[in-house]
Amino acid sequence: MKVNITETVLRDAQQSLIATRMPFSDFEGILETLDNAGYYSLECWGGATFDSCLRYLDEDPWERLRKIKAVCKKTPLQMLIRGQNILGYKHYPDDVVRLFCRKAAENGMDIFRIFDALNDFRNIEVCIDEVKKCGKHAQGCICYTTSPVHTIAKYIEMGKELEKMGVDSIAIKDMAGICGPQEAYDLVKALKSEVKVPIFFHTHHTTGLGPITYTKAVEAGVDGIDCAISTMAGGTSQPATETMKYALEQLGYETSLDMDKLKQIADFFAPVRKKFLDSGRLNPTVMGIKADILKYQVPGGMLSNMIANLTDMHAMDRFDEALAEIPNVRKDMGYPPLVTPMSQMVGNQAVTNVLVGERYKNISKEIKAYLRGEYGRAPGEINQELVAKCWKPEELVTGRYADSLEPLFEKTKKELGSKARSDEDVLSYIAFPQVAEKFFEAREEKESNTVTYTIEKKED
Ligand code: CO
């Protein structure tokens, strides 16, 4: 049996370890080897890579994609997209979602892993539809979490729904790395018996469970897993590619990965990793194993966010109380998966509830919007008293939120005028307005400097 391996070094691995700060020049020299190593796909694009290119790296994310594609012609390129939120956290109208997918496909994207933080599939249907229309691979995502409403039966229902929506494959996305080996086995086994499309599994090494969980998922028949090359693996990143290849082949599975090429890739990234360690961007603490997460069932990013907030407020002595409040808030919210932005929203509300001393005396504006239904449908029952406290029944969003949004693309294009040089620029601006605007200005400036330089040279 063949197990497909997706390499995450260009997206999730560097996002998890070094806050997505890897410039194109750091990996340009290894793209050809990556393309020839036998991977199922190369994950290379997503919200954070896109944002970071514009914000910190002075790179046009679209150009990066084209440059990767120019070298990686054999291996499909893969991206992570938040359905109706495309790359961010707010909902965009359908014209933007469709054009974004089309432009990503035109610029070289092949596999679109599409998710909604609440698993509200109304928020990914337009995205799936457009990806299919572009003739590309639409991978529907199930965000994995544990709660009284997240049963195997519920996950099967989601899998069937995705299949009905026409996805080419399904990914189980365990963003917190909390899915244990038996849970993975049971979930994959159940899905494999009920849906026909291939199933992929995504986890992180954060709790140390990753390789064991992958092994059991493979035993249950999973079609593919996400790994990161060893020098950029482990900790909050993915389990190591070479380790999984070695173990799976020993267990009698094929991976079609070339060990010599993997060695070259690992060697290539060793000095890159060292550079980020030396600069302090790669903090050795993210490389370790966080067993706390297994105890609290709270993602690592959410824990560190809470610790930072409480430390700022000189209230770390209330940490245990705040942690204990998380399950209560989560229950009131109808058990959303603790993925960004829900993880921060739930964490902050739990801290507020504890520090104010009265539950929901202060409710954040994000939680209010969530209670209104702006993020989509909650997995379970939301506390109706809380909803009534914030909104009148006629104010609630019951349909698909994006249906209430006016088309945005042409209007924005007109407003931007000559600042945007392409439809891709307009999309960058819609996704990250301030950051993109700064990027456009810097680009102008750089080019006018180049022009001056050329003229001066001529005069010499
Ligand atoms: Co991930």
Side-chain angles (χ1 to χ4, degrees), residues 22 26 231-232 263-279 282:
M22 199 186 279
D26 273 5
T231 38
M232 289 294 286
K263 166 93 169 84
Q264 288 172 37
I265 299 165
D267 288 350
F268 181 90
F269 281 107
V272 175
R273 171 199 162 103
K274 184 170 183 307
K275 180 182 87 171
F276 284 104
L277 263 175
D278 290 347
S279 73
L282 173 54

Short mmCIF file of all heavy atoms in Angstrom, two decimals, residues 22 26 231-232 263-279 282:
data_model
loop_
_atom_site.label_atom_id
_atom_site.label_comp_id
_atom_site.label_asym_id
_atom_site.label_seq_id
_atom_site.Cartn_x
_atom_site.Cartn_y
_atom_site.Cartn_z
N MET A 22 10.71 32.80 6.33
CA MET A 22 11.70 32.29 5.40
C MET A 22 11.55 32.97 4.03
O MET A 22 10.54 32.82 3.37
CB MET A 22 11.55 30.78 5.24
CG MET A 22 12.79 30.11 4.66
SD MET A 22 12.48 28.36 4.33
CE MET A 22 12.71 27.67 5.96
N ASP A 26 16.03 31.75 0.67
CA ASP A 26 16.47 30.69 1.58
C ASP A 26 16.17 29.29 1.05
O ASP A 26 16.76 28.32 1.52
CB ASP A 26 15.81 30.83 2.96
CG ASP A 26 16.59 31.75 3.88
OD1 ASP A 26 17.58 32.35 3.42
OD2 ASP A 26 16.20 31.87 5.06
N THR A 231 15.32 18.64 9.36
CA THR A 231 15.95 19.84 9.92
C THR A 231 14.95 20.96 10.18
O THR A 231 15.29 21.97 10.80
CB THR A 231 17.08 20.34 8.98
OG1 THR A 231 16.67 20.17 7.62
CG2 THR A 231 18.36 19.57 9.22
N MET A 232 13.71 20.80 9.70
CA MET A 232 12.67 21.78 10.00
C MET A 232 11.44 21.06 10.60
O MET A 232 10.31 21.52 10.45
CB MET A 232 12.25 22.53 8.73
CG MET A 232 13.30 23.50 8.21
SD MET A 232 13.60 24.90 9.32
CE MET A 232 12.11 25.84 9.04
N LYS A 263 18.02 13.45 2.05
CA LYS A 263 19.26 13.82 2.76
C LYS A 263 19.76 15.18 2.25
O LYS A 263 20.14 16.05 3.03
CB LYS A 263 20.30 12.72 2.54
CG LYS A 263 21.73 13.08 2.90
CD LYS A 263 22.04 12.69 4.32
CE LYS A 263 23.53 12.80 4.64
NZ LYS A 263 23.97 14.14 5.02
N GLN A 264 19.72 15.36 0.93
CA GLN A 264 20.16 16.65 0.36
C GLN A 264 19.28 17.80 0.86
O GLN A 264 19.77 18.88 1.17
CB GLN A 264 20.06 16.62 -1.17
CG GLN A 264 21.11 15.76 -1.86
CD GLN A 264 20.82 15.64 -3.36
OE1 GLN A 264 20.36 16.58 -4.02
NE2 GLN A 264 21.08 14.47 -3.91
N ILE A 265 17.98 17.53 0.94
CA ILE A 265 17.05 18.58 1.40
C ILE A 265 17.32 18.91 2.87
O ILE A 265 17.40 20.08 3.26
CB ILE A 265 15.58 18.14 1.18
CG1 ILE A 265 15.32 17.90 -0.32
CG2 ILE A 265 14.61 19.17 1.73
CD1 ILE A 265 14.04 17.13 -0.62
N ALA A 266 17.50 17.87 3.68
CA ALA A 266 17.76 18.08 5.10
C ALA A 266 19.06 18.87 5.28
O ALA A 266 19.13 19.82 6.07
CB ALA A 266 17.84 16.75 5.83
N ASP A 267 20.10 18.48 4.54
CA ASP A 267 21.39 19.18 4.63
C ASP A 267 21.26 20.64 4.20
O ASP A 267 21.87 21.52 4.79
CB ASP A 267 22.44 18.49 3.74
CG ASP A 267 22.88 17.15 4.31
OD1 ASP A 267 22.52 16.86 5.48
OD2 ASP A 267 23.57 16.38 3.60
N PHE A 268 20.44 20.85 3.18
CA PHE A 268 20.24 22.21 2.68
C PHE A 268 19.63 23.11 3.76
O PHE A 268 20.02 24.27 3.92
CB PHE A 268 19.34 22.19 1.44
CG PHE A 268 19.11 23.54 0.84
CD1 PHE A 268 19.95 24.04 -0.14
CD2 PHE A 268 18.05 24.35 1.28
CE1 PHE A 268 19.76 25.31 -0.68
CE2 PHE A 268 17.85 25.61 0.75
CZ PHE A 268 18.70 26.09 -0.24
N PHE A 269 18.65 22.56 4.48
CA PHE A 269 17.96 23.40 5.46
C PHE A 269 18.68 23.51 6.81
O PHE A 269 18.30 24.32 7.65
CB PHE A 269 16.50 22.93 5.67
CG PHE A 269 15.59 23.38 4.56
CD1 PHE A 269 15.12 22.48 3.60
CD2 PHE A 269 15.23 24.71 4.44
CE1 PHE A 269 14.31 22.91 2.56
CE2 PHE A 269 14.41 25.15 3.41
CZ PHE A 269 13.95 24.25 2.47
N ALA A 270 19.74 22.69 7.02
CA ALA A 270 20.46 22.76 8.30
C ALA A 270 21.02 24.16 8.57
O ALA A 270 20.79 24.72 9.64
CB ALA A 270 21.54 21.68 8.36
N PRO A 271 21.75 24.76 7.61
CA PRO A 271 22.24 26.13 7.88
C PRO A 271 21.12 27.17 7.95
O PRO A 271 21.26 28.18 8.65
CB PRO A 271 23.18 26.42 6.70
CG PRO A 271 22.93 25.38 5.68
CD PRO A 271 22.29 24.21 6.35
N VAL A 272 20.02 26.94 7.25
CA VAL A 272 18.89 27.87 7.32
C VAL A 272 18.34 27.86 8.74
O VAL A 272 18.12 28.91 9.37
CB VAL A 272 17.78 27.46 6.31
CG1 VAL A 272 16.56 28.34 6.46
CG2 VAL A 272 18.30 27.49 4.87
N ARG A 273 18.17 26.67 9.26
CA ARG A 273 17.69 26.52 10.63
C ARG A 273 18.66 27.18 11.61
O ARG A 273 18.25 27.89 12.54
CB ARG A 273 17.56 25.02 10.91
CG ARG A 273 17.30 24.64 12.33
CD ARG A 273 17.68 23.16 12.48
NE ARG A 273 17.85 22.79 13.85
CZ ARG A 273 16.94 22.11 14.54
NH1 ARG A 273 15.83 21.75 13.98
NH2 ARG A 273 17.16 21.81 15.80
N LYS A 274 19.95 26.98 11.36
CA LYS A 274 20.95 27.55 12.26
C LYS A 274 20.88 29.08 12.23
O LYS A 274 20.96 29.74 13.27
CB LYS A 274 22.35 27.07 11.87
CG LYS A 274 23.41 27.57 12.85
CD LYS A 274 24.76 26.93 12.67
CE LYS A 274 25.73 27.42 13.74
NZ LYS A 274 25.83 28.88 13.85
N LYS A 275 20.69 29.63 11.04
CA LYS A 275 20.58 31.08 10.90
C LYS A 275 19.44 31.62 11.78
O LYS A 275 19.59 32.61 12.49
CB LYS A 275 20.33 31.42 9.42
CG LYS A 275 20.20 32.90 9.14
CD LYS A 275 19.90 33.20 7.68
CE LYS A 275 18.41 33.16 7.40
NZ LYS A 275 18.03 33.63 6.07
N PHE A 276 18.30 30.91 11.75
CA PHE A 276 17.14 31.38 12.53
C PHE A 276 17.33 31.13 14.03
O PHE A 276 16.82 31.88 14.85
CB PHE A 276 15.85 30.74 12.01
CG PHE A 276 15.38 31.36 10.73
CD1 PHE A 276 15.55 30.72 9.51
CD2 PHE A 276 14.78 32.61 10.73
CE1 PHE A 276 15.13 31.31 8.32
CE2 PHE A 276 14.35 33.22 9.55
CZ PHE A 276 14.52 32.56 8.34
N LEU A 277 18.08 30.07 14.36
CA LEU A 277 18.40 29.83 15.77
C LEU A 277 19.30 30.94 16.29
O LEU A 277 19.08 31.51 17.36
CB LEU A 277 19.13 28.49 15.92
CG LEU A 277 18.33 27.26 16.31
CD1 LEU A 277 19.23 26.02 16.28
CD2 LEU A 277 17.67 27.39 17.69
N ASP A 278 20.33 31.27 15.49
CA ASP A 278 21.30 32.30 15.89
C ASP A 278 20.63 33.66 16.05
O ASP A 278 20.97 34.43 16.94
CB ASP A 278 22.43 32.41 14.86
CG ASP A 278 23.34 31.18 14.89
OD1 ASP A 278 23.23 30.39 15.86
OD2 ASP A 278 24.13 30.99 13.94
N SER A 279 19.67 33.96 15.16
CA SER A 279 19.02 35.27 15.23
C SER A 279 17.98 35.32 16.34
O SER A 279 17.45 36.39 16.66
CB SER A 279 18.36 35.60 13.89
OG SER A 279 17.20 34.81 13.74
N LEU A 282 14.13 31.43 15.78
CA LEU A 282 13.74 30.06 16.14
C LEU A 282 14.09 29.87 17.61
O LEU A 282 15.25 29.83 18.00
CB LEU A 282 14.47 29.03 15.27
CG LEU A 282 14.29 27.55 15.64
CD1 LEU A 282 12.81 27.18 15.71
CD2 LEU A 282 14.99 26.65 14.64
#
